[in-house]
Amino acid sequence: MKEPRRAALPGGTVIALLFGSLLLVLLVGFVTFFINWEKSNERFSYHTKSIGQSVSQNLASADAALTTLTGLIQATDELNSALLTPISEKMLNRFPFITSIAYLSLLSPDEMDGLVAEMRSNGIPQFQVKPFGDQPSTDTTPCVKSHCLITTFIEPLEPNTAKLLGMDWWSEKAFRQLINESVTTNGPELDRSPDHAGLPGAHLMLRPTYFGNVTPATLQERREQVSGVFLLTLDYASLLKFNFGQTTDYSYSLTIIGIGGKEREVFQAHNENSQRPALNSLQQSQTFNLGTRRMRLTIQRVPDIAEMNPSSILFSMLITAILLYALSAAWINRRLAAIDRKTAQEQLFQERDKADVTLQSIGDAVITTDTNYLITYANPIAEKILGHSLTAIKGRYLSDVALFMTKEQGEVIDNLVAYYQQTHHRNNAQSHLVLKHPSGREISIDCTLSHLTDREGGTIGNVLVLRDVSLERELTSALAYQASHDALTGLLNRNEFENRLKELLDNSRVQNSQHALCYIDLDQFKLVNDTCGHLAGDNLLKQLASILQAQMREQDTVARLGGDEFGVLIQHCGFDRALEVAERLKQVISDHRFKWDENIFDVHASIGVVMITATIDTLSDLMSAADLACYTAKDKGRDTVHAYQPNDKEITQRQSQMQWLPRIQEALHSNQFQLVTQCIKSLNEDADPYEIYEFLIRWPQKNGEMVSPGIFIPAAERYDLMRNIDRWVISNAFSLIQRVHAEAPPRQSRLYSINLSGQSIGDPKLGTFIKEQIIQYAIDPSLICFEITETSAIGNYSIAEALIRQMLEIGCQFALDDFGSGLSSFGYLKQLPVTLLKIDGQFVRDMAKDPVDYAMVRTIHDV
């Protein structure tokens, strides 16, 4: 500034000069201070952009983990810890800022007892449903009124996380609102963990899961189809870690920007020096997208006075005082240059901000090269993937920095850009590649190439976008393995086994080849489970899986078909060889002695063998034949090998019975059976009862024929349907008795006899059913007599005696049928409180001619 000239003593000029010099020195000091401040602000801006990018990438990784988990559960019919645990462990190892992964199942109150029983049977005996938080709830738990959101899975399962198992998150209003927001936005949600949740200092990130393989499109559908919630707990201290200098004096806050500008702060951390009175703090805010949510990260820092470099200020002021006039012009030029530089930097920062927003939105590694394929830029994600900083790789060829190979052939790519230009004749061409990290780890990546052009359209460089898809491919591989293998034994599962079986069946038709199928069913496996528990049974299955696998050739197949059943496919094998292999497998199973604690079990198996030839029509026929052969082996005494033959009488008989099974079930369902009565009259008109009507069952067919009970009863007995038939007979007989007595009451004493099978005698609920039917049809119990055979009474003696006494108490009678057919008939007659006897026909038929039969009948009558 030029001072006006004024009249004064010569001393006044000196004073004016000194005053002007002082102002100029102070101005120089201020400018120096301002430059130092701008440099500090530039460093802070660079660091905050790196921090923001790191936070955005980490949150995007956490969301990707949630998306993977929700996709996994929606693509899987059955959720279990065997599927979730290995995937969760990989995610926890890969992302250290994720401290735990939990799944919360949305259930109704009616499903609680079943959930508790299932969780306890799955190895969590202490599992119980409890209200949210550490303290018991004083309000009515919402679960009673509507739903429960129960923690059914958590990894890692440690003391501080195990207490969350069974906790009902639905009872926490704030958490319900958080789930509702996630369903509304169809994206992830973040929030602090409630203080009473038992997760001190943790932050939550969640995504709901829905029934079905596809996330519903509309909000209403999403609300109706919510099946549960995947919940991550995040450690923000680990989330905000990065490798760009000291950050302990930084303060952070993370805010969710909602619709209409409504904001919700989910995280805030202040450094210990943020409250000290000093220079104005530096502050930068960055916004980025997380799913459908807009996030803002605000970073503050109070610069230290030492950063302003006071010595440089003093030095500049001293130099300015000495060279005041000589350096005035230089100072002005420097100031103008600084202003120009600042303007250019601001413009550059604006362009870089736009680029940063784009990079944050895709979250991928970006590398740019010039026309000579030399690296000109790499963002922080690229630095991480390549294992080198930008300073170390700038100006070098990409092939000198990293080794790229094609995933399919393993071919080394010398020049990645040239490879794409030669192989693909269009932009944005993608390819799956493998990148060798300097640590030796192989990273699966998706690569996209685009060209940088000038205003005239000429190529001035290239842009490579690399995306790390290692986790996705690992999960895809894991899902493929889970889909084809048994989780317990590691063998192939039934689905994959049937696929390979179909291939062999097709092969036998095309090449006229011959193969063999062995269907293995363990004998008395339930004894191991009942004696030592399911853990022991699982260990036995694992051991047998290893034993069977060791006995087979590499080209043969061993699979677990379910429960205690195994399947073996023997390729290119004749009938005699198949029987030899089956006998060897039976023998090695029999030779194995299973020891658990102090218990030792002999292990045996029944094996059915079927030849796979071109004569077999379908896969279903083949599996049915194997099943028939296996069960025929069981019927022959177990620990046996039985080969399927089309003309085998035992197989034919079982097939016939199997064909009757669905027909009997349909007859019961559609009420096709009929009841007929057989009248038995006393020779004495004063006898009580004078008439006995025995109910018999018949099965009329559409063609008018009648199926005899001797045809369908054996099938019903084999497949445990007799108790259903007996209940049908009782209910319909009582209904008929009610109608007959209502229309025309009998003038003479009468008794109605109903036969009961051995399966019904062994049913502990039969007595209750009979009482209910008597009450329903208002039947006089004294009119009813139940018949049981001597054989069924002996086979279920204790239950039969209890049922007889129970029926006698309410007024019913009991008859013992086929009496005399057993060796101990009189002994059982003495112990069973029956009221009537029906002597076996072999004695009554010839008693008028055979004195021995006459004596037997008379003896029974006298007793």
Side-chain angles (χ1 to χ4, degrees), residues 85-95 471 474-475 478:
T85 299
I87 297 175
S88 299
E89 289 177 349
K90 288 184 179 180
M91 289 182 175
L92 291 172
N93 291 332
R94 185 176 181 84
F95 307 119
L471 178 60
E474 289 175 7
L475 294 177

Side-chain angles (χ1 to χ4, degrees), residues 161-213:
T161 58
K163 61 186 178 182
L164 300 181
L165 282 175
M167 192 168 75
D168 177 20
W169 293 75
W170 197 259
S171 58
E172 175 64 17
K173 180 178 180 182
F175 193 79
R176 292 200 302 273
Q177 293 175 347
L178 197 64
I179 296 174
N180 184 56
E181 291 178 5
S182 182
V183 172
T184 302
T185 61
N186 195 19
E189 280 298 324
L190 284 166
D191 207 345
R192 298 186 182 93
S193 172
D195 295 336
H196 55 291
L199 297 169
H203 288 71
L204 308 179
M205 186 174 186
L206 63 87
R207 259 185 186 270
T209 62
Y210 304 93
F211 292 108
N213 295 330

Side-chain angles (χ1 to χ4, degrees), residues 27 94 102 123 190 203 234 237 256 267 327 376 412 465 483 522 587 604 634 661 665 678 684 780 796:
L27 181 60
R94 185 176 181 84
L190 284 166
H203 288 71
L234 305 178
I256 296 178
F267 176 75
L327 298 179
T376 58
V412 177
V465 179
L522 300 183
Q587 189 61 43
H604 301 286
K634 282 189 175 293
L661 176 61
Q665 292 173 331
Q678 175 177 279
N684 184 2
D780 182 1
N796 303 275

